[in-house]
Amino acid sequence: MLEGCVPWPAELAQRYRDAGYWAGRPLDRLIRDGAERHPDRIALIGTDGARWTYAELDAWIARAAAGLAPSIAPRERVLLQLPNIPEFVAVFFALLRIGALPVLALPAHREAEMVPLAELSEAVAYFIADDESFDYRALAKTVTSAVPGVRQVFVANADLPLADPVPLPEPDPSDVALFLLSGGTTGTPKLIPRTHDDYSYNGRASAEVSGFDESTVYLVALPASHNFALCSPGLLGAFAAGGTVVLAADPSPGTVFPLIERDQVTVTGVVPPIALLWMDAAEFADEDLSSLRLLQVGGAKLNAEPAARVRPTLGCALQQVFGMAEGLLNFTRLDDPEDLIVETQGRPLCPDDEVRVLANGELLTRGPYTLRGYYRAEEHNRRSFTEDGFYRSGDLVRQLPSGHLVVEGRLKDQINRGGEKIPAEELENHLLAHPAVHDAAVVGMADEVMGERTCAFLVVNGPVPKLREVKAFLRDRGVAEFKLPDRLEILDAFPLTKLGKVSKADLSRRLAG
Ligand code: AMP
Ligand code: DBH
Protein backbone atom coordinates (compact mmCIF):
# COMPACT_ATOMS: atom_id res chain seq x y z
CA MET A 1 0.00 0.00 0.00
CA LEU A 2 1.07 3.57 -0.67
CA GLU A 3 3.44 4.98 1.98
CA GLY A 4 1.52 7.03 4.56
CA CYS A 5 -1.57 4.78 4.40
CA VAL A 6 -2.59 2.14 6.96
CA PRO A 7 -3.48 -1.27 5.46
CA TRP A 8 -6.06 -3.69 6.90
CA PRO A 9 -4.53 -6.56 8.88
CA ALA A 10 -3.85 -9.57 6.61
CA GLU A 11 -6.42 -11.75 8.38
CA LEU A 12 -9.27 -9.31 7.87
CA ALA A 13 -8.18 -8.61 4.31
CA GLN A 14 -8.42 -12.34 3.59
CA ARG A 15 -11.89 -12.47 5.14
CA TYR A 16 -13.06 -9.57 2.96
CA ARG A 17 -11.68 -11.29 -0.13
CA ASP A 18 -13.17 -14.66 0.77
CA ALA A 19 -16.56 -13.06 1.33
CA GLY A 20 -16.35 -11.51 -2.13
CA TYR A 21 -16.45 -7.90 -0.97
CA TRP A 22 -13.01 -7.24 -2.38
CA ALA A 23 -13.18 -8.46 -5.93
CA GLY A 24 -9.59 -7.72 -6.95
CA ARG A 25 -10.49 -5.46 -9.85
CA PRO A 26 -9.42 -1.86 -10.56
CA LEU A 27 -12.13 0.75 -9.98
CA ASP A 28 -12.09 1.89 -13.59
CA ARG A 29 -13.41 -1.56 -14.57
CA LEU A 30 -16.85 -0.08 -13.83
CA ILE A 31 -16.69 1.72 -17.14
CA ARG A 32 -14.69 -0.84 -19.12
CA ASP A 33 -17.10 -3.61 -18.11
CA GLY A 34 -20.05 -1.45 -19.12
CA ALA A 35 -18.46 -0.73 -22.48
CA GLU A 36 -17.98 -4.47 -23.08
CA ARG A 37 -21.39 -5.61 -21.86
CA HIS A 38 -23.69 -2.88 -23.13
CA PRO A 39 -21.68 -0.48 -25.33
CA ASP A 40 -24.72 1.30 -26.75
CA ARG A 41 -26.54 2.08 -23.56
CA ILE A 42 -26.48 5.73 -22.41
CA ALA A 43 -23.93 6.20 -19.63
CA LEU A 44 -23.77 9.95 -19.21
CA ILE A 45 -25.90 13.00 -19.96
CA GLY A 46 -24.58 16.53 -19.42
CA THR A 47 -26.62 19.46 -18.15
CA ASP A 48 -26.89 20.69 -21.74
CA GLY A 49 -28.24 17.33 -22.90
CA ALA A 50 -25.02 16.01 -24.52
CA ARG A 51 -24.97 12.20 -24.33
CA TRP A 52 -22.33 9.50 -24.18
CA THR A 53 -22.93 5.77 -24.56
CA TYR A 54 -20.79 3.47 -22.46
CA ALA A 55 -18.58 2.82 -25.50
CA GLU A 56 -18.21 6.53 -26.21
CA LEU A 57 -17.44 7.36 -22.60
CA ASP A 58 -14.90 4.55 -22.42
CA ALA A 59 -13.23 5.79 -25.62
CA TRP A 60 -13.08 9.36 -24.29
CA ILE A 61 -11.50 8.12 -21.05
CA ALA A 62 -8.97 6.04 -22.98
CA ARG A 63 -7.95 9.08 -25.04
CA ALA A 64 -7.73 11.29 -21.95
CA ALA A 65 -5.63 8.65 -20.15
CA ALA A 66 -3.26 8.50 -23.11
CA GLY A 67 -3.11 12.29 -23.21
CA LEU A 68 -2.25 12.52 -19.51
CA ALA A 69 0.09 9.54 -19.17
CA PRO A 70 3.19 11.43 -20.38
CA SER A 71 2.86 14.08 -17.68
CA ILE A 72 1.49 12.21 -14.64
CA ALA A 73 3.04 9.03 -13.24
CA PRO A 74 1.32 6.17 -11.41
CA ARG A 75 0.73 6.92 -7.70
CA GLU A 76 1.27 10.64 -8.09
CA ARG A 77 -1.47 12.68 -6.44
CA VAL A 78 -3.63 15.01 -8.49
CA LEU A 79 -6.01 17.69 -7.21
CA LEU A 80 -9.41 17.38 -8.84
CA GLN A 81 -11.63 20.41 -8.32
CA LEU A 82 -14.34 20.21 -10.92
CA PRO A 83 -18.02 21.09 -11.00
CA ASN A 84 -20.59 18.58 -12.26
CA ILE A 85 -19.48 18.58 -15.87
CA PRO A 86 -18.84 15.58 -18.13
CA GLU A 87 -15.10 16.23 -17.87
CA PHE A 88 -15.34 15.31 -14.18
CA VAL A 89 -16.16 11.76 -15.22
CA ALA A 90 -13.60 11.64 -18.03
CA VAL A 91 -10.74 13.00 -15.93
CA PHE A 92 -11.61 10.97 -12.81
CA PHE A 93 -11.52 7.68 -14.72
CA ALA A 94 -8.56 8.71 -16.88
CA LEU A 95 -6.52 9.32 -13.73
CA LEU A 96 -7.55 5.93 -12.33
CA ARG A 97 -6.57 4.34 -15.61
CA ILE A 98 -3.03 5.74 -15.50
CA GLY A 99 -2.78 4.81 -11.81
CA ALA A 100 -2.63 8.44 -10.63
CA LEU A 101 -4.51 9.23 -7.43
CA PRO A 102 -7.26 11.87 -7.63
CA VAL A 103 -7.72 14.03 -4.52
CA LEU A 104 -11.38 15.03 -4.54
CA ALA A 105 -11.67 18.69 -3.58
CA LEU A 106 -15.02 20.49 -3.58
CA PRO A 107 -15.71 23.30 -6.06
CA ALA A 108 -16.51 25.48 -3.01
CA HIS A 109 -12.97 25.17 -1.68
CA ARG A 110 -10.70 28.18 -1.91
CA GLU A 111 -7.09 29.04 -1.21
CA ALA A 112 -7.33 28.33 2.53
CA GLU A 113 -8.41 24.76 1.78
CA MET A 114 -6.54 24.08 -1.47
CA VAL A 115 -3.05 25.15 -0.34
CA PRO A 116 -2.89 22.84 2.70
CA LEU A 117 -4.43 20.08 0.59
CA ALA A 118 -1.78 20.51 -2.10
CA GLU A 119 0.94 20.43 0.56
CA LEU A 120 -0.36 17.37 2.39
CA SER A 121 -0.98 15.37 -0.77
CA GLU A 122 2.19 16.59 -2.54
CA ALA A 123 0.02 16.85 -5.62
CA VAL A 124 1.85 17.27 -8.92
CA ALA A 125 -1.12 18.46 -10.97
CA TYR A 126 -4.36 20.36 -10.46
CA PHE A 127 -7.54 20.03 -12.56
CA ILE A 128 -9.89 22.98 -12.64
CA ALA A 129 -12.62 24.13 -15.03
CA ASP A 130 -13.62 27.35 -16.67
CA ASP A 131 -16.79 28.22 -14.83
CA GLU A 132 -19.05 31.28 -14.89
CA SER A 133 -19.40 31.40 -11.14
CA PHE A 134 -15.76 31.67 -10.12
CA ASP A 135 -12.27 32.26 -11.55
CA TYR A 136 -10.58 28.92 -10.88
CA ARG A 137 -7.60 29.91 -13.05
CA ALA A 138 -6.74 32.66 -10.56
CA LEU A 139 -7.14 30.24 -7.65
CA ALA A 140 -4.86 27.74 -9.39
CA LYS A 141 -2.21 30.45 -9.87
CA THR A 142 -2.31 31.22 -6.15
CA VAL A 143 -2.03 27.54 -5.27
CA THR A 144 0.82 26.80 -7.68
CA SER A 145 2.86 29.78 -6.53
CA ALA A 146 2.38 28.76 -2.88
CA VAL A 147 3.09 25.07 -3.59
CA PRO A 148 5.55 24.79 -6.50
CA GLY A 149 5.34 20.98 -6.42
CA VAL A 150 2.03 21.39 -8.24
CA ARG A 151 3.78 21.62 -11.58
CA GLN A 152 0.83 21.55 -13.96
CA VAL A 153 -2.67 22.99 -14.12
CA PHE A 154 -5.23 21.52 -16.51
CA VAL A 155 -8.43 23.35 -17.40
CA ALA A 156 -10.54 20.26 -17.96
CA ASN A 157 -13.18 21.85 -20.19
CA ALA A 158 -10.69 23.89 -22.19
CA ASP A 159 -7.39 22.07 -22.68
CA LEU A 160 -7.75 18.43 -21.66
CA PRO A 161 -5.00 16.61 -23.59
CA LEU A 162 -6.29 13.71 -25.69
CA ALA A 163 -4.24 11.15 -27.57
CA ASP A 164 -4.65 7.82 -29.30
CA PRO A 165 -5.13 5.11 -26.67
CA VAL A 166 -2.01 3.36 -25.42
CA PRO A 167 -1.73 0.18 -23.33
CA LEU A 168 -1.39 1.04 -19.64
CA PRO A 169 -0.36 -1.21 -16.74
CA GLU A 170 -3.20 -2.11 -14.37
CA PRO A 171 -2.99 -0.75 -10.83
CA ASP A 172 -2.91 -3.18 -7.88
CA PRO A 173 -6.56 -3.42 -6.72
CA SER A 174 -5.55 -3.63 -3.06
CA ASP A 175 -3.75 -0.30 -3.29
CA VAL A 176 -5.10 3.23 -2.92
CA ALA A 177 -7.19 4.46 -5.86
CA LEU A 178 -8.17 7.94 -4.69
CA PHE A 179 -8.39 10.27 -1.73
CA LEU A 180 -11.59 11.69 -0.28
CA LEU A 181 -11.69 14.68 2.03
CA SER A 182 -12.91 14.33 5.57
CA GLY A 183 -15.27 16.95 6.97
CA GLY A 184 -12.57 17.27 9.59
CA THR A 185 -12.42 18.21 13.23
CA THR A 186 -9.01 19.85 13.45
CA GLY A 187 -7.11 22.81 12.04
CA THR A 188 -5.62 20.84 9.16
CA PRO A 189 -7.24 18.84 6.35
CA LYS A 190 -7.49 15.05 6.57
CA LEU A 191 -7.24 12.80 3.55
CA ILE A 192 -9.04 9.47 3.37
CA PRO A 193 -7.33 6.82 1.26
CA ARG A 194 -9.81 4.56 -0.56
CA THR A 195 -8.57 1.45 -2.33
CA HIS A 196 -9.83 0.03 -5.64
CA ASP A 197 -11.18 -2.98 -3.75
CA ASP A 198 -12.92 -1.09 -0.99
CA TYR A 199 -14.39 1.69 -3.11
CA SER A 200 -15.60 -0.72 -5.82
CA TYR A 201 -17.43 -2.64 -3.11
CA ASN A 202 -18.78 0.63 -1.66
CA GLY A 203 -20.34 1.52 -5.01
CA ARG A 204 -21.56 -1.96 -5.96
CA ALA A 205 -23.11 -2.78 -2.59
CA SER A 206 -24.76 0.64 -2.22
CA ALA A 207 -26.21 0.28 -5.70
CA GLU A 208 -27.68 -3.04 -4.68
CA VAL A 209 -29.41 -1.83 -1.49
CA SER A 210 -30.72 1.16 -3.38
CA GLY A 211 -32.26 -1.05 -6.05
CA PHE A 212 -30.15 0.31 -8.90
CA ASP A 213 -30.34 -1.54 -12.19
CA GLU A 214 -30.12 -0.90 -15.91
CA SER A 215 -33.23 1.26 -15.81
CA THR A 216 -31.74 3.57 -13.19
CA VAL A 217 -31.29 7.20 -14.19
CA TYR A 218 -29.29 8.84 -11.39
CA LEU A 219 -29.17 12.61 -11.14
CA VAL A 220 -25.98 14.08 -9.64
CA ALA A 221 -27.42 17.04 -7.71
CA LEU A 222 -24.75 17.40 -5.02
CA PRO A 223 -21.11 17.98 -5.96
CA ALA A 224 -19.87 14.86 -7.76
CA SER A 225 -16.70 14.87 -5.63
CA HIS A 226 -18.72 14.26 -2.47
CA ASN A 227 -18.76 10.62 -1.34
CA PHE A 228 -22.58 10.63 -1.27
CA ALA A 229 -23.00 11.71 -4.90
CA LEU A 230 -19.89 9.89 -6.08
CA CYS A 231 -20.31 6.40 -4.67
CA SER A 232 -23.15 5.99 -2.16
CA PRO A 233 -24.34 4.74 -4.66
CA GLY A 234 -24.07 7.95 -6.64
CA LEU A 235 -22.59 8.05 -10.09
CA LEU A 236 -20.20 5.14 -9.59
CA GLY A 237 -23.05 2.99 -8.29
CA ALA A 238 -25.17 3.93 -11.29
CA PHE A 239 -22.33 2.92 -13.65
CA ALA A 240 -21.84 -0.33 -11.72
CA ALA A 241 -25.51 -1.15 -12.31
CA GLY A 242 -25.35 -0.24 -16.01
CA GLY A 243 -27.59 2.78 -15.53
CA THR A 244 -27.44 6.36 -16.74
CA VAL A 245 -25.92 9.36 -14.96
CA VAL A 246 -27.34 12.86 -15.44
CA LEU A 247 -25.30 15.87 -14.30
CA ALA A 248 -26.95 18.91 -12.69
CA ALA A 249 -24.94 22.12 -12.26
CA ASP A 250 -26.57 22.82 -8.91
CA PRO A 251 -29.38 21.36 -6.75
CA SER A 252 -31.87 24.24 -7.06
CA PRO A 253 -35.38 23.23 -8.20
CA GLY A 254 -35.03 25.58 -11.18
CA THR A 255 -32.05 23.57 -12.43
CA VAL A 256 -33.02 20.10 -11.31
CA PHE A 257 -36.76 19.79 -12.02
CA PRO A 258 -36.43 20.36 -15.79
CA LEU A 259 -33.65 17.74 -15.90
CA ILE A 260 -35.81 15.22 -14.01
CA GLU A 261 -38.51 15.67 -16.63
CA ARG A 262 -36.18 15.79 -19.65
CA ASP A 263 -34.17 12.66 -18.80
CA GLN A 264 -36.81 10.76 -16.83
CA VAL A 265 -34.62 10.68 -13.73
CA THR A 266 -35.50 7.84 -11.36
CA VAL A 267 -33.30 8.54 -8.33
CA THR A 268 -31.12 11.20 -6.76
CA GLY A 269 -29.44 12.04 -3.46
CA VAL A 270 -29.56 15.33 -1.55
CA VAL A 271 -28.90 16.89 1.86
CA PRO A 272 -31.90 17.74 4.09
CA PRO A 273 -32.16 21.50 3.30
CA ILE A 274 -32.36 20.67 -0.42
CA ALA A 275 -35.02 18.03 0.23
CA LEU A 276 -37.06 20.68 2.10
CA LEU A 277 -36.61 23.13 -0.77
CA TRP A 278 -37.75 20.55 -3.34
CA MET A 279 -40.81 19.57 -1.32
CA ASP A 280 -41.87 23.22 -1.11
CA ALA A 281 -41.17 23.88 -4.78
CA ALA A 282 -42.84 20.71 -6.10
CA GLU A 283 -46.27 22.03 -5.23
CA PHE A 284 -45.93 24.90 -7.69
CA ALA A 285 -43.69 23.27 -10.27
CA ASP A 286 -44.82 22.88 -13.87
CA GLU A 287 -42.43 20.02 -14.52
CA ASP A 288 -43.50 16.40 -14.47
CA LEU A 289 -41.56 14.71 -11.67
CA SER A 290 -43.40 11.40 -11.88
CA SER A 291 -40.35 9.46 -13.12
CA LEU A 292 -38.73 9.92 -9.70
CA ARG A 293 -38.94 6.66 -7.73
CA LEU A 294 -36.51 7.28 -4.90
CA LEU A 295 -35.10 10.27 -3.03
CA GLN A 296 -32.05 9.58 -0.90
CA VAL A 297 -31.41 12.04 1.90
CA GLY A 298 -28.24 12.17 3.99
CA GLY A 299 -25.28 14.23 5.10
CA ALA A 300 -27.15 15.62 8.09
CA LYS A 301 -30.12 14.42 10.07
CA LEU A 302 -33.48 14.52 8.37
CA ASN A 303 -36.17 14.97 10.99
CA ALA A 304 -39.16 12.63 11.05
CA GLU A 305 -41.69 15.34 10.16
CA PRO A 306 -40.17 16.34 6.80
CA ALA A 307 -39.24 12.68 6.20
CA ALA A 308 -42.93 11.76 6.33
CA ARG A 309 -43.73 14.47 3.75
CA VAL A 310 -41.42 13.14 1.03
CA ARG A 311 -43.85 10.69 -0.52
CA PRO A 312 -46.96 12.92 -0.38
CA THR A 313 -45.13 15.93 -1.89
CA LEU A 314 -42.68 14.35 -4.35
CA GLY A 315 -44.52 11.12 -5.10
CA CYS A 316 -41.47 8.93 -4.52
CA ALA A 317 -40.01 6.73 -1.80
CA LEU A 318 -37.51 8.02 0.74
CA GLN A 319 -34.22 6.39 1.65
CA GLN A 320 -32.25 7.82 4.54
CA VAL A 321 -28.48 7.60 4.22
CA PHE A 322 -26.12 8.11 7.13
CA GLY A 323 -22.67 7.97 5.64
CA MET A 324 -19.16 9.18 6.01
CA ALA A 325 -16.31 9.57 3.55
CA GLU A 326 -14.28 7.53 6.06
CA GLY A 327 -16.34 4.50 5.08
CA LEU A 328 -19.35 3.14 6.97
CA LEU A 329 -22.64 3.68 5.17
CA ASN A 330 -26.08 3.14 6.66
CA PHE A 331 -29.20 2.96 4.54
CA THR A 332 -32.83 2.42 5.31
CA ARG A 333 -33.87 -0.51 3.12
CA LEU A 334 -36.43 -0.03 0.35
CA ASP A 335 -38.71 -2.64 1.96
CA ASP A 336 -38.32 -1.39 5.54
CA PRO A 337 -41.56 -0.54 7.35
CA GLU A 338 -42.49 3.12 6.93
CA ASP A 339 -41.70 4.03 10.57
CA LEU A 340 -38.10 2.85 10.23
CA ILE A 341 -37.69 4.78 6.98
CA VAL A 342 -39.05 7.95 8.53
CA GLU A 343 -37.52 7.72 11.99
CA THR A 344 -34.08 6.16 11.52
CA GLN A 345 -30.93 6.87 9.55
CA GLY A 346 -30.69 3.30 8.33
CA ARG A 347 -28.56 0.29 9.13
CA PRO A 348 -25.06 -0.71 8.00
CA LEU A 349 -24.56 -1.63 4.37
CA CYS A 350 -22.39 -4.71 4.85
CA PRO A 351 -22.88 -7.83 7.03
CA ASP A 352 -19.21 -7.41 8.01
CA ASP A 353 -19.55 -3.79 9.11
CA GLU A 354 -18.70 -3.98 12.79
CA VAL A 355 -20.53 -1.35 14.76
CA ARG A 356 -19.78 -0.66 18.41
CA VAL A 357 -21.90 1.81 20.37
CA LEU A 358 -20.14 2.93 23.55
CA ALA A 359 -21.97 3.66 26.81
CA ASN A 360 -21.97 7.37 25.98
CA GLY A 361 -23.52 6.63 22.59
CA GLU A 362 -20.41 7.11 20.48
CA LEU A 363 -20.38 5.10 17.26
CA LEU A 364 -17.19 3.17 16.50
CA THR A 365 -16.81 1.09 13.39
CA ARG A 366 -14.53 -1.05 11.26
CA GLY A 367 -15.19 -3.04 8.16
CA PRO A 368 -14.29 -3.82 4.55
CA TYR A 369 -14.69 -0.24 3.30
CA THR A 370 -13.85 1.79 6.41
CA LEU A 371 -10.40 3.38 6.56
CA ARG A 372 -7.79 2.22 9.06
CA GLY A 373 -6.01 5.55 9.16
CA TYR A 374 -5.94 9.00 7.58
CA TYR A 375 -3.14 9.71 5.12
CA ARG A 376 0.12 10.81 6.73
CA ALA A 377 -1.52 11.58 10.07
CA GLU A 378 0.13 9.22 12.54
CA GLU A 379 -0.49 11.32 15.60
CA HIS A 380 -4.10 12.14 14.75
CA ASN A 381 -4.70 8.47 13.93
CA ARG A 382 -3.76 7.46 17.47
CA ARG A 383 -6.76 9.51 18.66
CA SER A 384 -9.20 8.67 15.87
CA PHE A 385 -8.79 4.89 16.02
CA THR A 386 -8.84 2.31 18.78
CA GLU A 387 -5.96 -0.14 19.24
CA ASP A 388 -7.99 -2.75 17.40
CA GLY A 389 -8.64 -0.53 14.43
CA PHE A 390 -12.12 0.85 15.04
CA TYR A 391 -12.72 4.35 13.66
CA ARG A 392 -14.12 6.74 16.25
CA SER A 393 -16.82 8.49 14.21
CA GLY A 394 -17.56 11.18 16.80
CA ASP A 395 -21.27 10.61 16.13
CA LEU A 396 -23.71 9.83 18.94
CA VAL A 397 -26.27 7.20 18.04
CA ARG A 398 -28.87 4.84 19.39
CA GLN A 399 -29.15 1.38 17.85
CA LEU A 400 -32.52 -0.35 17.59
CA PRO A 401 -32.88 -4.14 17.86
CA SER A 402 -33.29 -4.21 14.06
CA GLY A 403 -29.79 -2.74 13.74
CA HIS A 404 -31.08 0.62 12.56
CA LEU A 405 -29.29 3.68 13.92
CA VAL A 406 -30.80 6.91 15.09
CA VAL A 407 -28.33 9.80 15.05
CA GLU A 408 -28.74 11.79 18.24
CA GLY A 409 -25.83 14.20 18.22
CA ARG A 410 -22.07 14.26 18.05
CA LEU A 411 -18.97 14.51 20.18
CA LYS A 412 -16.68 15.92 17.52
CA ASP A 413 -15.94 19.62 17.43
CA GLN A 414 -17.54 20.23 14.07
CA ILE A 415 -20.56 22.09 12.78
CA ASN A 416 -22.84 20.28 10.33
CA ARG A 417 -24.38 23.11 8.37
CA GLY A 418 -26.99 21.40 6.22
CA GLY A 419 -24.58 18.57 5.39
CA GLU A 420 -21.55 20.82 4.91
CA LYS A 421 -18.98 20.13 7.59
CA ILE A 422 -17.07 22.91 9.33
CA PRO A 423 -14.21 21.94 11.65
CA ALA A 424 -14.52 24.37 14.58
CA GLU A 425 -10.79 24.55 15.25
CA GLU A 426 -10.02 25.45 11.66
CA LEU A 427 -12.47 28.36 11.65
CA GLU A 428 -11.30 29.49 15.10
CA ASN A 429 -7.71 29.65 13.83
CA HIS A 430 -8.80 31.87 10.94
CA LEU A 431 -10.74 34.12 13.31
CA LEU A 432 -7.75 34.41 15.64
CA ALA A 433 -5.77 35.89 12.77
CA HIS A 434 -8.06 38.94 12.84
CA PRO A 435 -6.27 41.85 14.55
CA ALA A 436 -9.23 42.69 16.83
CA VAL A 437 -9.85 39.08 17.91
CA HIS A 438 -8.32 37.96 21.19
CA ASP A 439 -10.13 34.63 21.44
CA ALA A 440 -12.63 32.71 19.31
CA ALA A 441 -14.98 29.76 19.86
CA VAL A 442 -17.28 28.44 17.15
CA VAL A 443 -20.46 26.49 17.91
CA GLY A 444 -23.50 25.33 15.99
CA MET A 445 -26.91 26.89 16.57
CA ALA A 446 -30.12 25.07 15.82
CA ASP A 447 -31.79 26.04 12.57
CA GLU A 448 -35.02 24.68 11.20
CA VAL A 449 -33.87 24.52 7.59
CA MET A 450 -30.11 23.95 7.82
CA GLY A 451 -30.20 21.82 10.97
CA GLU A 452 -27.42 24.01 12.28
CA ARG A 453 -25.85 27.33 11.45
CA THR A 454 -22.54 28.67 12.63
CA CYS A 455 -22.12 31.10 15.49
CA ALA A 456 -18.71 32.60 16.30
CA PHE A 457 -18.21 33.78 19.85
CA LEU A 458 -15.40 36.31 20.10
CA VAL A 459 -13.47 38.03 22.84
CA VAL A 460 -12.09 41.20 21.25
CA ASN A 461 -9.13 43.41 22.07
CA GLY A 462 -9.99 46.28 19.79
CA PRO A 463 -12.99 47.80 18.09
CA VAL A 464 -15.90 45.34 17.94
CA PRO A 465 -16.04 44.00 14.36
CA LYS A 466 -19.31 43.58 12.48
CA LEU A 467 -20.34 40.19 11.03
CA ARG A 468 -20.06 41.59 7.53
CA GLU A 469 -16.51 42.72 8.14
CA VAL A 470 -15.46 39.39 9.70
CA LYS A 471 -16.90 37.52 6.74
CA ALA A 472 -15.02 39.78 4.33
CA PHE A 473 -11.83 39.15 6.34
CA LEU A 474 -12.29 35.37 6.14
CA ARG A 475 -13.19 35.48 2.46
CA ASP A 476 -10.03 37.48 1.89
CA ARG A 477 -8.02 34.75 3.59
CA GLY A 478 -9.49 32.33 1.07
CA VAL A 479 -11.88 30.49 3.39
CA ALA A 480 -14.72 28.67 1.59
CA GLU A 481 -18.04 30.52 1.67
CA PHE A 482 -19.93 27.72 3.48
CA LYS A 483 -17.55 28.00 6.45
CA LEU A 484 -18.24 31.69 7.13
CA PRO A 485 -20.12 32.33 10.39
CA ASP A 486 -23.82 33.19 10.26
CA ARG A 487 -23.77 35.05 13.54
CA LEU A 488 -21.31 36.85 15.83
CA GLU A 489 -21.54 37.13 19.59
CA ILE A 490 -19.10 39.24 21.58
CA LEU A 491 -18.25 38.23 25.15
CA ASP A 492 -15.95 39.70 27.80
CA ALA A 493 -14.61 36.24 28.58
CA PHE A 494 -15.49 32.63 27.70
CA PRO A 495 -17.19 30.35 30.20
CA LEU A 496 -14.78 27.62 31.27
CA THR A 497 -15.20 23.99 32.21
CA LYS A 498 -13.90 22.67 35.52
CA LEU A 499 -10.73 21.73 33.66
CA GLY A 500 -10.25 25.28 32.43
CA LYS A 501 -11.20 24.65 28.79
CA VAL A 502 -13.68 26.83 26.92
CA SER A 503 -17.11 25.36 27.64
CA LYS A 504 -18.83 25.04 24.29
CA ALA A 505 -21.78 23.42 26.03
CA ASP A 506 -22.26 26.67 27.97
CA LEU A 507 -21.98 28.70 24.79
CA SER A 508 -24.59 26.51 23.07
CA ARG A 509 -26.93 26.94 26.03
CA ARG A 510 -26.64 30.71 25.71
CA LEU A 511 -27.83 30.46 22.11
CA ALA A 512 -30.73 28.23 23.08
CA GLY A 513 -31.78 30.35 26.05
P1 AMP B 1 -17.63 13.33 6.51
O1 AMP B 1 -16.72 12.75 7.56
O2 AMP B 1 -17.28 14.68 6.09
O3 AMP B 1 -17.81 12.42 5.37
O4 AMP B 1 -19.06 13.51 7.19
C1 AMP B 1 -19.71 12.42 7.72
C2 AMP B 1 -20.53 12.86 8.89
O5 AMP B 1 -21.73 13.48 8.44
C3 AMP B 1 -21.00 11.74 9.76
O6 AMP B 1 -20.01 11.29 10.64
C4 AMP B 1 -22.17 12.40 10.47
O7 AMP B 1 -21.70 13.25 11.49
C5 AMP B 1 -22.77 13.28 9.37
N1 AMP B 1 -23.90 12.63 8.69
C6 AMP B 1 -23.91 12.05 7.48
N2 AMP B 1 -25.13 11.57 7.18
C7 AMP B 1 -25.92 11.83 8.21
C8 AMP B 1 -27.31 11.57 8.51
N3 AMP B 1 -28.12 10.95 7.64
N4 AMP B 1 -27.78 11.99 9.71
C9 AMP B 1 -26.98 12.60 10.60
N5 AMP B 1 -25.67 12.88 10.38
C10 AMP B 1 -25.15 12.50 9.20
O1 DBH C 1 -22.04 13.28 5.07
C1 DBH C 1 -21.41 12.45 4.40
O2 DBH C 1 -20.18 12.48 4.29
C2 DBH C 1 -22.17 11.39 3.67
C3 DBH C 1 -23.55 11.35 3.73
C4 DBH C 1 -24.25 10.39 3.04
C5 DBH C 1 -21.50 10.46 2.93
O3 DBH C 1 -20.13 10.48 2.86
C6 DBH C 1 -22.19 9.49 2.23
C7 DBH C 1 -23.58 9.45 2.30
O4 DBH C 1 -21.49 8.62 1.52
Side-chain angles (χ1 to χ4, degrees), residues 48-339:
D48 64 0
R51 289 162 172 253
W52 288 261
T53 64
Y54 274 86
E56 288 164 347
L57 182 58
D58 181 60
W60 187 17
I61 292 164
R63 291 180 56 76
L68 293 171
S71 39
I72 305 172
R75 292 183 141 198
E76 285 187 323
R77 272 77 60 200
V78 176
L79 301 173
L80 197 62
Q81 189 183 29
L82 298 177
N84 293 351
I85 54 175
E87 287 79 5
F88 176 98
V89 179
V91 172
F92 176 78
F93 281 105
L95 291 172
L96 292 181
R97 216 167 269 197
I98 63 176
L101 310 177
V103 177
L104 290 153
L106 294 172
H109 286 143
R110 295 293 174 261
E111 176 189 350
E113 289 84 24
M114 295 308 296
V115 167
L117 208 55
E119 285 169 343
L120 173 62
S121 65
E122 293 182 23
V124 301
Y126 183 6
F127 282 83
I128 55 167
D130 278 333
D131 191 90
E132 282 167 15
S133 65
F134 180 71
D135 185 356
Y136 286 98
R137 290 184 191 241
L139 173 59
K141 272 213 185 90
T142 310
V143 172
T144 50
S145 47
V147 193
V150 184
R151 54 176 192 246
Q152 255 185 308
V153 173
F154 296 93
V155 183
N157 54 358
D159 58 16
L160 183 62
L162 299 172
D164 286 335
V166 291
L168 294 162
E170 289 225 341
D172 172 357
S174 65
D175 207 343
V176 179
L178 60 117
F179 289 95
L180 298 177
L181 262 65
S182 161
T185 54
T186 65
T188 49
K190 296 287 173 297
L191 286 175
I192 300 163
R194 302 295 305 249
T195 66
H196 292 272
D197 272 333
D198 98 67
Y199 216 46
S200 297
Y201 172 75
N202 192 109
R204 233 174 35 238
S206 322
E208 203 169 310
V209 292
S210 305
F212 281 27
D213 62 22
E214 294 162 1
S215 69
T216 292
V217 182
Y218 179 84
L219 181 87
V220 187
L222 294 175
S225 49
H226 192 285
N227 188 45
F228 188 11
L230 184 60
C231 197
S232 310
L235 63 107
L236 298 187
F239 289 142
T244 300
V245 169
V246 180
L247 300 171
D250 65 77
S252 67
T255 301
V256 162
F257 287 3
L259 295 178
I260 294 177
E261 177 177 281
R262 185 192 71 189
D263 297 323
Q264 295 290 288
V265 168
T266 62
V267 51
T268 182
V270 295
V271 291
I274 301 297
L276 299 180
L277 191 64
W278 288 11
M279 290 195 278
D280 286 344
E283 200 183 336
F284 306 101
D286 295 328
E287 293 86 2
D288 175 13
L289 306 179
S290 63
S291 60
L292 205 57
R293 296 200 288 250
L294 184 66
L295 181 69
Q296 304 185 295
V297 183
K301 180 153 168 172
L302 179 69
N303 292 319
E305 185 274 327
R309 281 195 291 122
V310 168
R311 191 185 284 283
T313 54
L314 294 170
C316 66
L318 166 69
Q319 183 176 42
Q320 295 211 42
V321 190
F322 163 36
M324 49 201 81
E326 283 79 359
L328 179 71
L329 300 174
N330 303 277
F331 295 87
T332 56
R333 302 307 199 257
L334 303 181
D335 58 359
D336 272 344
E338 187 72 7
D339 58 328

